[in-house]
Amino acid sequence: MAQQKPSIPKGTRDFSPAEMMRRQYIFDTIRGVFRTYGFAPLETPSMENLSTLLGKYGDEGDKLLFKILNSGDYAAGLSGDEVRQASKICEKGLRYDLTVPFARYVVQHQGELTFPFKRYQIQPVWRADRPQKGRYREFYQCDVDVIGTRSLLCEVELIEIVERVFKALGIRVALKMNNRKILFGIAEAIGHADKMMDITIAIDKLEKIGLDNVKAELMERGLDREAVDKLQPILELSGDNAQKLNQLKEVLAVSETGMKGIEEMETVFGYVGRLGIDLTVELDLSLARGLNYYTGAIFEVKALDFAIGSICGGGRYDDLTGIFGMPNMSGVGISFGADRIYDVMTGLSLFPEEVNSSTRVLFVNLGAEEEAAVLPLLRQLRGREIAAEIYPEAGKMKKQMEYANRRGIPYVVIVGSQELEAGAATVKDMRTGEQRQVSLDKLATEICNS
């Protein structure tokens, strides 16, 4: 067999043990917060039927779906024209997000669930996007959703979860919010309720392409100059959240739906203020989030100290399950982008030092007699949940110390002939170079307290 250069598909990555330890720290932190709020874990398959995925993310989202070729010789009897029609040879696709599979799961298992149903899900998703900094074709999402209630307390709870997660990770963030009812109201107010999705898709690009380009795109999508001119001052409203909402009331007085959105935002912001949530929560009328299924509040989180796209986002969806035959089942959720969070924490050096090592203690191996004496000590440490190992072969001390350094192991324990005579071990802190003698019967306690 001819040799080939090892490679992986563009937009995907291998993760080294050091990277995985840092990623696991993120997952464990987020998972811990989710559980504090009573959410239960769930997993769904990596692939879904294409019929489940298509049409749920808009035209642009549909183009980014990874389609899976039917297995075996399914295409053997098809003509060239038929092969070119993906729907005839692809009936499955890799999941684009975790929310649509969640809705499918809820409908499929509704008889087994207690509503409101609260779940979290930490799994990879795939998008056939152009790979670039902070944007990958395979990436992890950490989703938390509650379905089966329209209560705005759920939105408030999600804001609290955002506060707790990023405080635990040490990332300063701002949470931007809007409401799709307000966006519909704006579309009504400028006389283009029929262009709601076109307006949403265009203004969602405001931060990336600027106001002039958004205006040009809106006119390309069929809005007249007068409507675009009416939209501009709405997008440029200033002041705090209450002031923006008060100004909006005048503009959206003609839209019952828009006024309902304002009322919902006032309720949420009111709770945020009363709870003293330590997080910047800002009404951003340019926030649209392009996914078709959002119907109410929408969220997006930005890191304040690192240039990257949103690291968290989500919103309210009132009838996503209706697509699968279970109408009027409202839900709301938010998704933490683990990969972008990782990039932020790496760029700002926010990972704790202890995260960088899988082993806390290495016992030096100095020969058969010393090895026999060390094994019971090793067992004691592991019995105390201390990650420990022994160098597998007797060898030079220098080589074993270099091994500990390369692995980032903070403590090396030496039990040689002199230590055995004294009934003690030499414990070296590899970070400071400090050494101390510790009685063998107190070694586990000393390490625990270090």
Side-chain angles (χ1 to χ4, degrees), residues 412-425:
V412 169
V413 176
I414 303 165
V415 180
S417 56
Q418 293 181 356
E419 282 83 8
L420 286 175
E421 286 182 18

Side-chain angles (χ1 to χ4, degrees), residues 103-115 117 321 324-327 329:
R104 187 268 309 154
Y105 174 88
V106 168
V107 176
Q108 195 169 345
H109 297 270
Q110 56 188 286
E112 308 161 24
L113 305 177
T114 300
F115 295 100
F117 177 51
T321 56
F324 304 113
M326 189 179 182
M329 180 62 74

Side-chain angles (χ1 to χ4, degrees), residues 349-378:
S349 301
L350 295 177
F351 286 104
E353 184 179 337
E354 59 268 20
V355 172
N356 296 317
S357 176
S358 60
T359 299
R360 193 171 178 196
V361 179
L362 174 72
F363 284 89
V364 170
N365 191 332
L366 297 176
E369 184 181 353
E370 292 85 351
E371 183 180 284
V374 159
L375 288 177
L377 299 173
L378 182 63

Side-chain angles (χ1 to χ4, degrees), residues 4-294:
Q4 67 179 69
K5 183 179 179 180
S7 64
I8 58 175
K10 287 184 179 179
T12 66
R13 293 152 297 159
D14 291 319
F15 297 111
S16 68
E19 290 170 321
M20 277 307 303
M21 285 186 284
R22 293 192 288 269
R23 287 171 64 84
Q24 200 60 54
Y25 172 77
I26 293 172
F27 295 144
D28 289 346
T29 300
I30 293 174
R31 186 182 293 111
V33 175
F34 288 170
R35 287 180 172 170
T36 298
Y37 284 81
F39 291 84
L42 178 72
E43 286 195 355
T44 58
S46 299
M47 68 179 79
E48 294 275 349
N49 292 324
L50 270 181
S51 58
T52 297
L53 302 174
L54 286 168
K56 313 305 188 299
Y57 309 105
D59 291 339
E60 294 187 18
D62 283 351
K63 294 174 185 175
L64 300 181
L65 287 173
F66 273 109
K67 299 175 178 68
I68 299 173
L69 188 68
N70 288 342
S71 57
D73 60 353
Y74 183 84
L78 299 180
S79 68
D81 288 340
E82 288 174 323
V83 168
R84 282 188 285 273
Q85 296 181 48
S87 62
K88 294 194 175 188
I89 59 172
C90 299
E91 298 171 324
K92 297 174 286 294
L94 295 177
R95 60 172 173 249
Y96 179 92
D97 72 351
L98 299 177
T99 307
V100 169
F102 171 56
R104 187 268 309 154
Y105 174 88
V106 168
V107 176
Q108 195 169 345
H109 297 270
Q110 56 188 286
E112 308 161 24
L113 305 177
T114 300
F115 295 100
F117 177 51
K118 304 176 76 171
R119 85 83 172 87
Y120 72 83
Q121 195 168 344
I122 300 176
Q123 287 187 278
V125 298
W126 293 267
R127 297 181 187 177
D129 217 339
R130 183 172 65 86
Q132 53 188 292
K133 183 181 179 182
R135 188 180 294 275
Y136 309 102
R137 287 177 172 169
E138 179 186 59
F139 55 97
Y140 268 75
Q141 289 185 336
C142 307
D143 276 26
V144 60
D145 287 76
V146 55
I147 195 164
T149 174
R150 297 178 186 273
S151 172
L152 295 175
L153 292 178
C154 300
E155 276 83 345
V156 176
E157 193 169 79
L158 292 179
I159 294 171
E160 284 191 275
I161 287 173
V162 169
E163 174 197 27
R164 284 181 180 245
V165 165
F166 289 111
K167 186 173 183 179
L169 294 175
I171 303 174
R172 292 197 323 119
V173 299
L175 187 150
K176 298 189 176 186
M177 285 191 70
N178 200 1
N179 193 297
R180 290 294 281 264
K181 294 183 179 73
I182 290 177
L183 290 171
F184 181 79
I186 291 171
E188 277 195 309
I190 65 173
H192 280 284
D194 60 319
K195 295 284 187 182
M196 163 68 175
M197 289 311 302
D198 291 307
I199 294 170
T200 298
I201 291 169
I203 69 173
D204 198 41
K205 301 175 183 176
L206 183 62
E207 187 175 327
K208 295 178 183 176
I209 66 176
L211 183 58
D212 289 341
N213 288 324
V214 167
K215 289 164 68 176
E217 182 171 329
L218 286 168
M219 285 189 283
E220 288 174 8
R221 291 177 177 270
L223 273 73
D224 54 66
R225 168 65 68 178
E226 182 181 357
V228 173
D229 289 342
K230 285 181 181 178
L231 179 62
Q232 180 171 343
I234 298 173
L235 296 178
E236 294 178 332
L237 288 180
S238 60
D240 61 24
N241 294 333
Q243 290 170 332
K244 288 179 182 177
L245 289 174
N246 284 332
Q247 294 172 69
L248 270 178
K249 286 178 183 178
E250 299 178 16
V251 178
L252 303 188
V254 298
S255 171
E256 182 180 348
T257 301
M259 293 301 289
K260 177 64 176 173
I262 291 173
E263 180 187 331
E264 290 179 2
M265 296 304 291
E266 286 180 328
T267 299
V268 171
F269 289 147
Y271 274 119
V272 168
R274 284 193 291 275
L275 290 171
I277 290 174
D278 185 21
L279 177 69
T280 299
V281 182
E282 174 192 353
L283 176 64
D284 183 350
L285 296 173
S286 71
L287 176 60
R289 295 194 65 79
L291 298 180
N292 281 354
Y293 52 69
Y294 290 128

Side-chain angles (χ1 to χ4, degrees), residues 388-405:
E389 60 182 276
I390 183 173
Y391 196 79
E393 301 168 355
K396 293 182 179 179
M397 180 82 73
K398 181 181 178 182
K399 179 181 179 181
Q400 297 184 52
M401 289 293 187
E402 288 176 350
Y403 174 82
N405 263 330

Side-chain angles (χ1 to χ4, degrees), residues 425-442:
T426 299
V427 178
K428 181 172 183 177
D429 188 325
M430 298 297 287
R431 298 161 297 187
T432 65
E434 178 188 352
Q435 292 189 178
R436 66 184 189 277
Q437 292 286 114
V438 178
S439 171
L440 294 180
D441 59 356
K442 294 181 180 178

